[in-house]
Each structure stands twice: as C-alpha cells, then as structure tokens.
Amino acid sequence: MSMIHNLRAAVRPSRPSRLSLRKDGGVYDATRPAEAATAVVDCAVYRDGARVEFERNLTPHEAIRQVRRDGGFVWIGLHEPSEAEFAGIAAEFGLHPLAVEDAVHAHQRPKLERYDDTLFTVFKTIHYVEHDELTATSEVVESGEVMCFTGRDFFITVRHGGQGSLRALRHRLQDDPELLAKGPSAVLHAIADHVVDGYVAVADAVQDDIDEVETEVFSPGRKGTPRGTDAGRIYQLKREVMEFKRAVLPLVRPMQLLSERPMRLIDPDIQKYFRDVADHLARVQEQVVGFDELLNSILQANLAQSSVAQNEDMRKITSWAAIIAVPTMVCGVYGMNFDYMPETHWKYGYPVVLGVTVALCLGIHRTLKRNGWL
C-alpha cells in the first residue's frame, strides 16, 4: 500500500509554508500565534482523509455533531487551556476527570493510559536552545508537553510550552489523505514520530556540546599538562541532560505498548509503524544514558585534574621553601650576637659562607628539578 510506504515521509519535518488555507477557503499566516481569546488553536473535521471545509469555523460541539452524523473524525488542538475553557470539551467528549486534570495542569511524566474508550497519551517535547558559548548558566534544552486524547471519532491535543507547535504537522498530514483516512490513530503516530524525531535532533546537538567540553578538559595546557575546564559548565550540562532524560526514559514503555499490544483504537496498519518510533526512541535512550555516564566521567576527570594541579603547585611552593630555608638558616645562625663564634673574625669568612650557601641552594634546586618538583 502506497500509504504505508509513504507514512514516514508524511510526518517528517519540512519547511512550513507561511501561507495556508483557512477552513473558510481563505489564507492565513501559518506562523502567527494563536489568538489569546481562546485556547482552541484549530478545530477541523476529517472525512475520507480530507479536511471538510465549512462556510464558518466550527465549535468543538458543532464539529463532533457533524462527525457523528456524517462520519469521519474531529481533530481539536488546544494550547494551555484553563479548567473553564476545557470543561465544555471534556464534557462533550466524555473525557475522564483524572485525564482532564493532568491535561490542564501539565507537568506530567510521559505515559499511556486507557480510560474506557479513550487513550490518554503524554509526550514531553524537547527543544535545543542555541547558544554561542556554553556557560555555567546556559540553557541547553527547553521542554514542553503535548497531551493527546485518542477516541473512536475524535483526537484532541493539549499543548503546553512555547515550543512544539503542531500546526506544520497538521498541514503535512492534510497533504496525505490516504494516511488521514486511517483515523485518529494515524494522527497519534504522526505526533509520536514528530516528538521522537525532535529527540534525535536534540541528542545530536547535545553530543556536540559534550564533545566540546570533553576536548577542553583533556586538551593540553601549559607544559603539556591537561588544562581542564570550569566544573560549573559540566554540571550545568549534566542538569540539562537530566531534563532530557526525564522526557525520554518514561516514554519507552508507552511506545512498546503501542507497538506490541493490540488496541481497539489503534489501526493494525498504523500499529506496525509504532515499532519504528520505538526503535528510534530506544536509540535516543541509549544516547541519553551514555551522556549522563560520560558527563560523570568528565566531571570526575576535571576534579582530578584540579587536584593534580593543586598538588603540583604545592610541590613547587614546598621546593622553593626548602631552597630558601638554607640561606635563612645560615643568616639566622650568624645573626646571633655572640662574641665567640667560628669564622666571625676570619677575613675570608664572609665569601666562604656566602659561597657555601649558594652552592647548597643550587644543589637542592638541581635535585628537585631532576625529580620533577620544579
């Protein structure tokens, strides 16, 4: 089936068009922010893989009535709705109160839950924050959330955070009617694939940051010794990787369930392709776990280098103190006010004592330098 062969290509990121068709047949700017007056970003009815156009924008209530009368499914997108804004939609579609509470208040871990005839899925979106130089306060990754309600004839997305817009993804899916004809499960797969592809891109970018820090830690400094780097930068990068890790690891089990366990709401043809998403996620999981372990090793190596550098400094200070101790001792002895002291009245006493002192200092310096203390 051509739809199956083109499934991956349909949901891959591409450059979004700034101008897109409105539901009333007009044109609007796809990059413009959603209106602040409502949390509903878009509400559309899809039938036979195509978006049904109406003379005016439908409310969620009107859209589901159209679907239950004429068939198809409705896809409603919301951005950070309040309890009052989401209450009507939750009542109309019979969403479970626990899932509604999670969707409104956000800050959930990735998961997959079934409530009666509805699947509730939580994804954490990860966005890489570009920076000219990694510092101890740099923000490396920025997270958001996408909650999905999948039903027999509806699909609802609730998005939190400034990143992770699904507008371009919706337009790409609308360009593939054969895929959209598979219903809400095709949209769920597209979102899962979109989120995991974002993880792959972020993992590659974070890998570059880790490589840069690792190079600085082990690059030679003065006299061939490792120069190390600021431990605060390593620790900050480790914290950002932990945020990345909290998005990836909990999602592994939900993707396994979607790819392996038969579900009434998931089309069998679509379920096969959740395996591909699960494979990509497993690869990112291995990368993120490796990042954490590698940063631990880099941090320990950096601290060890700092200790070695401090020991080197202490050895040099101790060496010079030992050299200075010789003239200090000689001057201290001959500075005592005794009448009867050896060589005090000998005319060669001063140059002899001075020469012996210099010879002793040079001998100690040569010995310490040969042993690597100086």
Side-chain angles (χ1 to χ4, degrees), residues 72-345:
F73 74 95
V74 58
W75 180 1
I76 303 172
L78 301 99
H79 181 246
E80 298 182 354
S82 64
E83 292 183 9
E85 290 172 323
F86 199 43
I89 295 176
E92 180 68 40
F93 291 92
L95 305 181
H96 196 279
L98 292 177
V100 171
E101 181 181 1
D102 289 346
V104 171
H105 294 97
H107 302 296
Q108 304 297 315
R109 69 194 305 269
K111 60 183 178 180
L112 171 67
E113 295 177 341
R114 180 173 179 176
Y115 296 99
D116 300 325
D117 292 330
T118 302
L119 285 179
F120 177 59
T121 315
V122 177
F123 299 97
K124 274 193 173 293
T125 58
I126 296 295
H127 170 72
Y128 181 76
V129 180
E130 297 290 344
H131 46 266
D132 296 330
E133 182 181 1
L134 181 65
T135 66
T137 57
S138 293
E139 184 179 17
V140 179
V141 296
E142 183 180 21
S143 63
E145 292 179 54
V146 176
M147 285 83 162
C148 303
F149 293 88
T150 307
R152 181 180 58 84
D153 54 6
F154 66 87
F155 190 83
I156 302 172
T157 57
V158 181
R159 186 168 59 87
H160 291 266
Q163 303 295 333
S165 173
L166 302 176
R167 192 186 300 273
L169 176 63
R170 184 188 287 262
H171 293 319
R172 288 198 300 274
L173 284 173
Q174 289 173 177
D175 291 336
D176 192 342
E178 194 172 0
L179 173 59
L180 269 180
K182 293 296 181 179
S185 61
V187 183
L188 179 62
H189 168 268
I191 291 177
D193 190 60
H194 174 74
V195 169
V196 174
D197 283 346
Y199 292 167
V200 174
V202 172
D204 293 339
V206 171
Q207 179 69 66
D208 293 338
D209 284 337
I210 294 177
D211 290 343
E212 178 184 347
V213 169
E214 185 178 24
T215 299
E216 291 185 4
V217 168
F218 294 103
S219 61
R222 293 181 304 170
K223 299 182 180 179
T225 59
R227 68 184 181 186
T229 189
D230 183 12
R233 299 173 61 197
I234 304 174
Y235 186 72
Q236 176 65 14
L237 187 56
K238 181 174 173 60
R239 289 187 62 184
E240 298 296 307
V241 167
M242 286 297 295
E243 183 175 355
F244 192 9
K245 190 175 180 181
R246 283 193 292 267
V248 173
L249 267 60
L251 188 59
V252 173
R253 180 57 179 166
M255 285 299 100
Q256 289 176 344
L257 293 176
L258 288 171
S259 62
E260 298 172 1
R261 180 177 297 178
M263 298 181 183
R264 285 186 302 169
L265 297 172
I266 303 298
D267 188 285
D269 290 336
I270 297 296
Q271 187 173 35
K272 299 174 184 178
Y273 288 85
F274 276 108
R275 299 174 191 169
D276 184 60
V277 179
D279 288 342
H280 286 193
L281 184 64
R283 192 188 77 178
V284 177
Q285 177 196 13
E286 294 175 356
Q287 283 184 283
V288 173
V289 172
F291 291 163
D292 194 28
E293 295 176 353
L294 181 58
L295 285 171
N296 282 335
S297 300
I298 294 174
L299 184 60
Q300 292 174 0
N302 187 71
L303 294 176
Q305 289 180 355
S306 298
S307 298
V308 169
Q310 290 177 355
N311 291 337
E312 289 285 343
D313 293 339
M314 289 303 300
R315 292 203 313 187
K316 291 179 180 180
I317 293 172
T318 303
S319 299
W320 285 111
I323 294 173
I324 295 173
V326 174
T328 301
M329 182 188 65
V330 173
C331 293
V333 170
Y334 281 92
M336 293 185 292
N337 296 321
F338 291 106
D339 289 334
Y340 301 100
M341 292 184 66
E343 319 304 339
T344 55
H345 299 291

Side-chain angles (χ1 to χ4, degrees), residues 8-55:
R8 292 288 300 171
V11 299
R12 288 297 181 191
S14 61
R15 184 181 298 275
S17 173
R18 288 186 60 87
L19 297 180
S20 306
L21 289 177
R22 286 202 312 259
K23 287 177 280 188
D24 59 5
V27 177
Y28 69 91
D29 188 349
T31 63
R32 65 181 174 88
E35 287 80 357
T38 176
V40 177
V41 177
D42 203 351
C43 177
V45 172
Y46 297 91
R47 189 176 300 124
D48 298 327
R51 179 167 181 158
V52 181
E53 301 295 341
F54 298 93
E55 294 181 357

